[in-house]
Each structure stands twice: as C-alpha cells, then as structure tokens.
Amino acid sequence: MPGLSAPPVLAPGLAPVADRGPVERAVVDGALAAAGPETLVRADVPQPDGSVRLYAAWTNGGGPLGDHIDRVALARGLDAWSWVEILTHCARTTHRGRIEVRTHPLRQVLADV
C-alpha cells in the first residue's frame, strides 16, 4: 500500500490549528439550531487524549420548563435513577462525525414525569 511522502496540500488560507474549540462550538450551535424549542441538548465531543468534553444547553423555553419539571419530579419523589431512565427513554441520538448529540424534548420528559 503506498504511503504519503508529503503532507496533504491544504486549500489557500487554511492551516491546521491546535484549538478545536471553535469547531466544537460550531457543531454544538448547529445542534441547538436544529433542535426544536423546549429541548435539552447535550453533545459529547471526544478529545485527542481519550477524554470527552460535554456541552449541554437549553433551546428557547427549555430553562423554565426544565425548572418546572424539576419541581414536579421532586414533588412526586423521583430520585436520580428515575431521571436517568426518563432522559434515556426520551433521548434522540444523532452523530456529527465523532460527536454524539442527544436531544431531550422536554414536553415528552414532562409527560413521563
């Protein structure tokens, strides 16, 4: 199998960078834009050292609805394991390259609580 004798040629103006942050943020922003309102969005971004950077955010209206769900869950005596099961049940998982994006529609979460 032939090997590369020279590094690949990049388009003019492009150069490799060590800071992955802007690319990660663009993927997360795209996931937030694609999700509907009242949604919890979580992105797991693998890092070169084997760790994973986690991003989590609410879409429009998600914060207040999430707070309401917390109050209802506490009033019903739900524990942390119940939350894990509910969020797992309601999750929609997609991939953008190696980045895993999970969206949790909060109205569905509320119905399960």
Side-chain angles (χ1 to χ4, degrees):
M1 173 180 278
L4 289 176
S5 59
V9 177
L10 297 175
L14 293 179
V17 295
D19 183 11
R20 300 166 40 105
V23 173
E24 292 175 5
R25 190 69 198 157
V27 171
V28 172
D29 288 345
L32 284 167
E38 299 179 332
T39 301
L40 170 61
V41 178
R42 178 181 155 177
D44 299 346
V45 183
Q47 300 298 299
D49 65 359
S51 65
V52 175
R53 182 173 294 147
L54 305 176
Y55 291 89
W58 307 105
T59 61
N60 188 29
L65 182 54
D67 290 342
H68 174 70
I69 293 169
D70 282 340
R71 288 189 298 274
V72 171
L74 287 171
R76 293 187 178 163
L78 294 180
D79 59 11
W81 184 249
S82 299
W83 269 114
V84 169
E85 288 201 11
I86 290 169
L87 287 176
T88 300
H89 171 73
C90 296
R92 295 180 185 144
T93 304
T94 59
H95 291 86
R96 294 173 182 200
R98 295 182 336 123
I99 298 174
E100 183 173 278
V101 176
R102 287 189 205 103
T103 57
H104 305 274
L106 294 176
R107 290 289 169 185
Q108 185 179 352
V109 172
L110 179 58
D112 284 356
V113 168

